[in-house]
Amino acid sequence: FRTTDESLKEYVTKFGEISDSLVMKDQNGQSRCFGFVTFVDPKTIDEFMEQRPHTLDGRQIDPKRASTLKN
């Protein structure tokens, strides 16, 4: 619950340039324990995933790739 937009961004930028990051929050502004990151270079995603496990703010995180739906 301690993860903020800033701490997420600080952590993931160690792996590569990002264009966006966001921690999802509840109506009280507390982390919902998930978020989103967009890396500028798609190759960085592979490197980030290969370097699992990741620990952020004392908790192991479980990164997943976003999937896109095509018609």
Side-chain angles (χ1 to χ4, degrees):
F1 292 112
R2 295 179 302 178
T3 301
T4 63
D5 291 333
E6 294 78 24
S7 65
L8 176 62
K9 181 177 181 177
E10 182 179 332
Y11 181 76
V12 297
T13 55
K14 294 176 188 176
F15 300 92
E17 185 179 358
I18 63 168
S19 61
D20 194 27
S21 65
L22 175 69
V23 173
M24 299 305 294
K25 299 176 182 83
D26 65 17
Q27 61 192 19
N28 297 318
Q30 189 153 1
S31 170
R32 293 180 56 201
C33 297
F34 73 96
F36 299 94
V37 174
T38 305
F39 286 102
V40 172
D41 183 353
K43 293 178 191 171
T44 305
I45 299 166
D46 293 330
E47 295 167 13
F48 183 75
M49 298 302 277
E50 288 175 9
Q51 294 183 34
R52 288 180 286 186
H54 293 281
T55 302
L56 176 59
D57 294 329
R59 295 185 66 175
Q60 186 169 325
I61 61 173
D62 183 23
K64 296 178 176 66
R65 292 177 187 271
S67 60
T68 58
L69 299 175
K70 295 183 179 184
N71 295 341

